[in-house]
PDB file of all heavy atoms in Angstrom:
ATOM      1  N   ALA A  45     -42.071  34.609   6.472  1.00  0.00           N
ATOM      2  CA  ALA A  45     -43.485  34.546   6.757  1.00  0.00           C
ATOM      3  C   ALA A  45     -44.298  34.945   5.473  1.00  0.00           C
ATOM      4  O   ALA A  45     -45.301  34.350   5.135  1.00  0.00           O
ATOM      5  CB  ALA A  45     -43.842  35.526   7.883  1.00  0.00           C
ATOM      6  N   GLU A  46     -43.811  36.000   4.791  1.00  0.00           N
ATOM      7  CA  GLU A  46     -44.506  36.423   3.585  1.00  0.00           C
ATOM      8  C   GLU A  46     -44.433  35.308   2.478  1.00  0.00           C
ATOM      9  O   GLU A  46     -45.419  35.089   1.765  1.00  0.00           O
ATOM     10  CB  GLU A  46     -43.741  37.646   3.093  1.00  0.00           C
ATOM     11  CG  GLU A  46     -44.258  38.266   1.775  1.00  0.00           C
ATOM     12  CD  GLU A  46     -45.332  39.305   2.041  1.00  0.00           C
ATOM     13  OE1 GLU A  46     -45.506  39.706   3.159  1.00  0.00           O
ATOM     14  OE2 GLU A  46     -46.073  39.522   1.045  1.00  0.00           O
ATOM     15  N   LEU A  47     -43.299  34.625   2.393  1.00  0.00           N
ATOM     16  CA  LEU A  47     -43.127  33.597   1.355  1.00  0.00           C
ATOM     17  C   LEU A  47     -43.850  32.241   1.777  1.00  0.00           C
ATOM     18  O   LEU A  47     -44.170  31.492   0.867  1.00  0.00           O
ATOM     19  CB  LEU A  47     -41.625  33.340   1.119  1.00  0.00           C
ATOM     20  CG  LEU A  47     -40.944  34.516   0.503  1.00  0.00           C
ATOM     21  CD1 LEU A  47     -39.396  34.427   0.669  1.00  0.00           C
ATOM     22  CD2 LEU A  47     -41.300  34.691  -1.052  1.00  0.00           C
ATOM     23  N   GLY A  48     -44.042  32.046   3.017  1.00  0.00           N
ATOM     24  CA  GLY A  48     -44.752  30.866   3.498  1.00  0.00           C
ATOM     25  C   GLY A  48     -44.235  29.576   2.942  1.00  0.00           C
ATOM     26  O   GLY A  48     -43.015  29.318   2.848  1.00  0.00           O
ATOM     27  N   ASP A  49     -45.207  28.736   2.461  1.00  0.00           N
ATOM     28  CA  ASP A  49     -44.799  27.441   1.956  1.00  0.00           C
ATOM     29  C   ASP A  49     -44.076  27.514   0.577  1.00  0.00           C
ATOM     30  O   ASP A  49     -43.684  26.485   0.083  1.00  0.00           O
ATOM     31  CB  ASP A  49     -46.075  26.552   1.720  1.00  0.00           C
ATOM     32  CG  ASP A  49     -46.713  26.217   3.033  1.00  0.00           C
ATOM     33  OD1 ASP A  49     -46.010  26.363   4.019  1.00  0.00           O
ATOM     34  OD2 ASP A  49     -47.875  25.819   3.004  1.00  0.00           O
ATOM     35  N   ASP A  50     -43.899  28.672  -0.006  1.00  0.00           N
ATOM     36  CA  ASP A  50     -43.294  28.806  -1.264  1.00  0.00           C
ATOM     37  C   ASP A  50     -41.753  28.595  -1.126  1.00  0.00           C
ATOM     38  O   ASP A  50     -41.072  28.430  -2.161  1.00  0.00           O
ATOM     39  CB  ASP A  50     -43.467  30.196  -1.871  1.00  0.00           C
ATOM     40  CG  ASP A  50     -44.921  30.348  -2.364  1.00  0.00           C
ATOM     41  OD1 ASP A  50     -45.596  29.319  -2.466  1.00  0.00           O
ATOM     42  OD2 ASP A  50     -45.383  31.496  -2.610  1.00  0.00           O
ATOM     43  N   VAL A  51     -41.263  28.662   0.072  1.00  0.00           N
ATOM     44  CA  VAL A  51     -39.803  28.619   0.210  1.00  0.00           C
ATOM     45  C   VAL A  51     -39.415  27.610   1.317  1.00  0.00           C
ATOM     46  O   VAL A  51     -40.181  27.534   2.341  1.00  0.00           O
ATOM     47  CB  VAL A  51     -39.167  30.041   0.500  1.00  0.00           C
ATOM     48  CG1 VAL A  51     -39.624  30.511   1.873  1.00  0.00           C
ATOM     49  CG2 VAL A  51     -37.707  30.002   0.362  1.00  0.00           C
ATOM     50  N   VAL A  52     -38.340  26.857   1.177  1.00  0.00           N
ATOM     51  CA  VAL A  52     -37.759  26.098   2.227  1.00  0.00           C
ATOM     52  C   VAL A  52     -36.296  26.461   2.316  1.00  0.00           C
ATOM     53  O   VAL A  52     -35.632  26.637   1.251  1.00  0.00           O
ATOM     54  CB  VAL A  52     -37.992  24.566   1.909  1.00  0.00           C
ATOM     55  CG1 VAL A  52     -37.360  24.122   0.703  1.00  0.00           C
ATOM     56  CG2 VAL A  52     -37.482  23.732   3.113  1.00  0.00           C
ATOM     57  N   VAL A  53     -35.828  26.632   3.571  1.00  0.00           N
ATOM     58  CA  VAL A  53     -34.467  26.972   3.738  1.00  0.00           C
ATOM     59  C   VAL A  53     -33.713  25.740   4.318  1.00  0.00           C
ATOM     60  O   VAL A  53     -34.101  25.221   5.363  1.00  0.00           O
ATOM     61  CB  VAL A  53     -34.242  28.223   4.702  1.00  0.00           C
ATOM     62  CG1 VAL A  53     -32.783  28.518   4.880  1.00  0.00           C
ATOM     63  CG2 VAL A  53     -35.051  29.413   4.152  1.00  0.00           C
ATOM     64  N   LEU A  54     -32.715  25.285   3.560  1.00  0.00           N
ATOM     65  CA  LEU A  54     -31.853  24.188   4.028  1.00  0.00           C
ATOM     66  C   LEU A  54     -30.488  24.731   4.581  1.00  0.00           C
ATOM     67  O   LEU A  54     -29.876  25.596   3.895  1.00  0.00           O
ATOM     68  CB  LEU A  54     -31.683  23.158   2.929  1.00  0.00           C
ATOM     69  CG  LEU A  54     -32.904  22.556   2.336  1.00  0.00           C
ATOM     70  CD1 LEU A  54     -32.545  21.571   1.208  1.00  0.00           C
ATOM     71  CD2 LEU A  54     -33.812  21.887   3.385  1.00  0.00           C
ATOM     72  N   GLY A  55     -30.014  24.158   5.646  1.00  0.00           N
ATOM     73  CA  GLY A  55     -28.732  24.688   6.125  1.00  0.00           C
ATOM     74  C   GLY A  55     -27.783  23.467   6.457  1.00  0.00           C
ATOM     75  O   GLY A  55     -28.161  22.479   7.216  1.00  0.00           O
ATOM     76  N   HIS A  56     -26.578  23.492   5.916  1.00  0.00           N
ATOM     77  CA  HIS A  56     -25.655  22.457   6.241  1.00  0.00           C
ATOM     78  C   HIS A  56     -25.141  22.723   7.666  1.00  0.00           C
ATOM     79  O   HIS A  56     -25.161  23.851   8.153  1.00  0.00           O
ATOM     80  CB  HIS A  56     -24.460  22.434   5.228  1.00  0.00           C
ATOM     81  CG  HIS A  56     -23.547  21.292   5.464  1.00  0.00           C
ATOM     82  ND1 HIS A  56     -22.409  21.351   6.270  1.00  0.00           N
ATOM     83  CD2 HIS A  56     -23.609  19.995   5.045  1.00  0.00           C
ATOM     84  CE1 HIS A  56     -21.862  20.202   6.336  1.00  0.00           C
ATOM     85  NE2 HIS A  56     -22.536  19.372   5.560  1.00  0.00           N
ATOM     86  N   ASN A  57     -24.750  21.619   8.307  1.00  0.00           N
ATOM     87  CA  ASN A  57     -24.222  21.659   9.652  1.00  0.00           C
ATOM     88  C   ASN A  57     -23.101  22.716   9.878  1.00  0.00           C
ATOM     89  O   ASN A  57     -22.829  23.103  10.978  1.00  0.00           O
ATOM     90  CB  ASN A  57     -23.790  20.264  10.110  1.00  0.00           C
ATOM     91  CG  ASN A  57     -24.919  19.379  10.378  1.00  0.00           C
ATOM     92  OD1 ASN A  57     -25.858  19.697  10.943  1.00  0.00           O
ATOM     93  ND2 ASN A  57     -24.762  18.097   9.983  1.00  0.00           N
ATOM     94  N   TYR A  58     -22.355  23.084   8.802  1.00  0.00           N
ATOM     95  CA  TYR A  58     -21.207  23.901   8.866  1.00  0.00           C
ATOM     96  C   TYR A  58     -21.565  25.404   8.680  1.00  0.00           C
ATOM     97  O   TYR A  58     -20.685  26.267   8.700  1.00  0.00           O
ATOM     98  CB  TYR A  58     -20.187  23.600   7.843  1.00  0.00           C
ATOM     99  CG  TYR A  58     -19.458  22.307   7.925  1.00  0.00           C
ATOM    100  CD1 TYR A  58     -18.742  21.757   6.846  1.00  0.00           C
ATOM    101  CD2 TYR A  58     -19.419  21.558   9.127  1.00  0.00           C
ATOM    102  CE1 TYR A  58     -18.066  20.584   6.923  1.00  0.00           C
ATOM    103  CE2 TYR A  58     -18.735  20.340   9.188  1.00  0.00           C
ATOM    104  CZ  TYR A  58     -18.065  19.850   8.109  1.00  0.00           C
ATOM    105  OH  TYR A  58     -17.400  18.707   8.261  1.00  0.00           O
ATOM    106  N   GLN A  59     -22.850  25.681   8.512  1.00  0.00           N
ATOM    107  CA  GLN A  59     -23.299  27.059   8.301  1.00  0.00           C
ATOM    108  C   GLN A  59     -23.146  27.828   9.601  1.00  0.00           C
ATOM    109  O   GLN A  59     -23.231  27.271  10.715  1.00  0.00           O
ATOM    110  CB  GLN A  59     -24.687  27.077   7.716  1.00  0.00           C
ATOM    111  CG  GLN A  59     -24.773  26.636   6.267  1.00  0.00           C
ATOM    112  CD  GLN A  59     -24.194  27.679   5.333  1.00  0.00           C
ATOM    113  OE1 GLN A  59     -24.750  28.783   5.100  1.00  0.00           O
ATOM    114  NE2 GLN A  59     -23.032  27.412   4.727  1.00  0.00           N
ATOM    115  N   ARG A  60     -23.043  29.170   9.406  1.00  0.00           N
ATOM    116  CA  ARG A  60     -23.004  30.005  10.589  1.00  0.00           C
ATOM    117  C   ARG A  60     -24.330  29.914  11.385  1.00  0.00           C
ATOM    118  O   ARG A  60     -25.347  29.615  10.922  1.00  0.00           O
ATOM    119  CB  ARG A  60     -22.812  31.497  10.173  1.00  0.00           C
ATOM    120  CG  ARG A  60     -21.680  31.767   9.223  1.00  0.00           C
ATOM    121  CD  ARG A  60     -21.792  33.225   8.838  1.00  0.00           C
ATOM    122  NE  ARG A  60     -20.781  33.537   7.893  1.00  0.00           N
ATOM    123  CZ  ARG A  60     -20.313  34.729   7.664  1.00  0.00           C
ATOM    124  NH1 ARG A  60     -20.774  35.758   8.397  1.00  0.00           N
ATOM    125  NH2 ARG A  60     -19.451  35.009   6.733  1.00  0.00           N
ATOM    126  N   ARG A  61     -24.119  30.243  12.643  1.00  0.00           N
ATOM    127  CA  ARG A  61     -25.339  30.267  13.573  1.00  0.00           C
ATOM    128  C   ARG A  61     -26.504  31.097  12.957  1.00  0.00           C
ATOM    129  O   ARG A  61     -27.635  30.765  12.975  1.00  0.00           O
ATOM    130  CB  ARG A  61     -24.924  30.839  14.955  1.00  0.00           C
ATOM    131  CG  ARG A  61     -26.169  31.000  15.887  1.00  0.00           C
ATOM    132  CD  ARG A  61     -25.718  31.737  17.173  1.00  0.00           C
ATOM    133  NE  ARG A  61     -25.150  33.026  16.948  1.00  0.00           N
ATOM    134  CZ  ARG A  61     -25.804  34.170  16.643  1.00  0.00           C
ATOM    135  NH1 ARG A  61     -27.120  34.114  16.573  1.00  0.00           N
ATOM    136  NH2 ARG A  61     -25.124  35.303  16.488  1.00  0.00           N
ATOM    137  N   GLU A  62     -26.113  32.289  12.432  1.00  0.00           N
ATOM    138  CA  GLU A  62     -27.164  33.178  11.896  1.00  0.00           C
ATOM    139  C   GLU A  62     -27.870  32.607  10.694  1.00  0.00           C
ATOM    140  O   GLU A  62     -28.877  33.237  10.225  1.00  0.00           O
ATOM    141  CB  GLU A  62     -26.607  34.527  11.579  1.00  0.00           C
ATOM    142  CG  GLU A  62     -25.818  35.231  12.710  1.00  0.00           C
ATOM    143  CD  GLU A  62     -24.323  35.014  12.547  1.00  0.00           C
ATOM    144  OE1 GLU A  62     -23.963  33.785  12.465  1.00  0.00           O
ATOM    145  OE2 GLU A  62     -23.522  35.936  12.612  1.00  0.00           O
ATOM    146  N   ILE A  63     -27.371  31.563  10.149  1.00  0.00           N
ATOM    147  CA  ILE A  63     -28.068  30.880   8.996  1.00  0.00           C
ATOM    148  C   ILE A  63     -28.903  29.727   9.569  1.00  0.00           C
ATOM    149  O   ILE A  63     -30.039  29.663   9.299  1.00  0.00           O
ATOM    150  CB  ILE A  63     -27.023  30.370   7.936  1.00  0.00           C
ATOM    151  CG1 ILE A  63     -26.182  31.452   7.306  1.00  0.00           C
ATOM    152  CG2 ILE A  63     -27.780  29.538   6.834  1.00  0.00           C
ATOM    153  CD1 ILE A  63     -26.983  32.476   6.494  1.00  0.00           C
ATOM    154  N   VAL A  64     -28.259  28.839  10.307  1.00  0.00           N
ATOM    155  CA  VAL A  64     -28.986  27.664  10.778  1.00  0.00           C
ATOM    156  C   VAL A  64     -30.217  28.041  11.621  1.00  0.00           C
ATOM    157  O   VAL A  64     -31.189  27.353  11.677  1.00  0.00           O
ATOM    158  CB  VAL A  64     -28.077  26.614  11.474  1.00  0.00           C
ATOM    159  CG1 VAL A  64     -26.990  26.022  10.634  1.00  0.00           C
ATOM    160  CG2 VAL A  64     -27.534  27.176  12.800  1.00  0.00           C
ATOM    161  N   GLU A  65     -30.099  29.227  12.259  1.00  0.00           N
ATOM    162  CA  GLU A  65     -31.264  29.591  13.129  1.00  0.00           C
ATOM    163  C   GLU A  65     -32.517  29.855  12.273  1.00  0.00           C
ATOM    164  O   GLU A  65     -33.624  29.875  12.766  1.00  0.00           O
ATOM    165  CB  GLU A  65     -30.909  30.848  13.987  1.00  0.00           C
ATOM    166  CG  GLU A  65     -30.162  30.453  15.164  1.00  0.00           C
ATOM    167  CD  GLU A  65     -29.658  31.632  16.058  1.00  0.00           C
ATOM    168  OE1 GLU A  65     -29.939  32.755  15.659  1.00  0.00           O
ATOM    169  OE2 GLU A  65     -29.027  31.335  17.104  1.00  0.00           O
ATOM    170  N   HIS A  66     -32.328  30.176  11.003  1.00  0.00           N
ATOM    171  CA  HIS A  66     -33.504  30.467  10.151  1.00  0.00           C
ATOM    172  C   HIS A  66     -33.805  29.314   9.226  1.00  0.00           C
ATOM    173  O   HIS A  66     -34.693  29.436   8.379  1.00  0.00           O
ATOM    174  CB  HIS A  66     -33.176  31.721   9.308  1.00  0.00           C
ATOM    175  CG  HIS A  66     -32.934  32.981  10.079  1.00  0.00           C
ATOM    176  ND1 HIS A  66     -33.940  33.514  10.791  1.00  0.00           N
ATOM    177  CD2 HIS A  66     -31.812  33.647  10.337  1.00  0.00           C
ATOM    178  CE1 HIS A  66     -33.507  34.593  11.406  1.00  0.00           C
ATOM    179  NE2 HIS A  66     -32.224  34.736  11.188  1.00  0.00           N
ATOM    180  N   ALA A  67     -33.054  28.223   9.357  1.00  0.00           N
ATOM    181  CA  ALA A  67     -33.305  27.078   8.406  1.00  0.00           C
ATOM    182  C   ALA A  67     -34.507  26.235   8.904  1.00  0.00           C
ATOM    183  O   ALA A  67     -34.779  26.038  10.060  1.00  0.00           O
ATOM    184  CB  ALA A  67     -32.028  26.236   8.352  1.00  0.00           C
ATOM    185  N   ASP A  68     -35.217  25.679   7.856  1.00  0.00           N
ATOM    186  CA  ASP A  68     -36.297  24.719   8.178  1.00  0.00           C
ATOM    187  C   ASP A  68     -35.631  23.320   8.557  1.00  0.00           C
ATOM    188  O   ASP A  68     -36.213  22.561   9.219  1.00  0.00           O
ATOM    189  CB  ASP A  68     -37.173  24.512   6.913  1.00  0.00           C
ATOM    190  CG  ASP A  68     -37.915  25.749   6.628  1.00  0.00           C
ATOM    191  OD1 ASP A  68     -38.721  26.185   7.416  1.00  0.00           O
ATOM    192  OD2 ASP A  68     -37.561  26.419   5.608  1.00  0.00           O
ATOM    193  N   PHE A  69     -34.550  23.025   7.968  1.00  0.00           N
ATOM    194  CA  PHE A  69     -33.896  21.818   8.204  1.00  0.00           C
ATOM    195  C   PHE A  69     -32.359  21.986   8.202  1.00  0.00           C
ATOM    196  O   PHE A  69     -31.819  22.654   7.279  1.00  0.00           O
ATOM    197  CB  PHE A  69     -34.311  20.754   7.233  1.00  0.00           C
ATOM    198  CG  PHE A  69     -33.631  19.404   7.508  1.00  0.00           C
ATOM    199  CD1 PHE A  69     -34.236  18.608   8.464  1.00  0.00           C
ATOM    200  CD2 PHE A  69     -32.557  18.928   6.855  1.00  0.00           C
ATOM    201  CE1 PHE A  69     -33.643  17.387   8.865  1.00  0.00           C
ATOM    202  CE2 PHE A  69     -31.926  17.717   7.197  1.00  0.00           C
ATOM    203  CZ  PHE A  69     -32.504  16.949   8.131  1.00  0.00           C
ATOM    204  N   VAL A  70     -31.702  21.401   9.237  1.00  0.00           N
ATOM    205  CA  VAL A  70     -30.229  21.497   9.242  1.00  0.00           C
ATOM    206  C   VAL A  70     -29.696  20.042   9.280  1.00  0.00           C
ATOM    207  O   VAL A  70     -30.252  19.160   9.935  1.00  0.00           O
ATOM    208  CB  VAL A  70     -29.787  22.191  10.547  1.00  0.00           C
ATOM    209  CG1 VAL A  70     -28.298  22.281  10.682  1.00  0.00           C
ATOM    210  CG2 VAL A  70     -30.431  23.577  10.686  1.00  0.00           C
ATOM    211  N   GLY A  71     -28.711  19.745   8.433  1.00  0.00           N
ATOM    212  CA  GLY A  71     -28.201  18.341   8.429  1.00  0.00           C
ATOM    213  C   GLY A  71     -26.949  18.203   7.648  1.00  0.00           C
ATOM    214  O   GLY A  71     -26.298  19.177   7.248  1.00  0.00           O
ATOM    215  N   ASP A  72     -26.593  16.871   7.407  1.00  0.00           N
ATOM    216  CA  ASP A  72     -25.405  16.680   6.628  1.00  0.00           C
ATOM    217  C   ASP A  72     -25.763  16.664   5.144  1.00  0.00           C
ATOM    218  O   ASP A  72     -26.957  16.859   4.755  1.00  0.00           O
ATOM    219  CB  ASP A  72     -24.741  15.317   7.046  1.00  0.00           C
ATOM    220  CG  ASP A  72     -25.537  14.068   6.628  1.00  0.00           C
ATOM    221  OD1 ASP A  72     -26.515  14.124   5.820  1.00  0.00           O
ATOM    222  OD2 ASP A  72     -25.218  12.968   7.175  1.00  0.00           O
TER     223      ASP A  72
END
Side-chain angles (χ1 to χ4, degrees):
E46 179 86 21
L47 293 161
D49 292 341
D50 289 346
V51 70
V52 62
V53 179
L54 302 179
H56 187 267
N57 286 319
Y58 293 164
Q59 288 286 288
R60 304 176 188 205
R61 173 185 59 76
E62 304 97 309
I63 300 293
V64 298
E65 281 179 356
H66 297 290
D68 295 292
F69 183 78
V70 181
D72 71 13

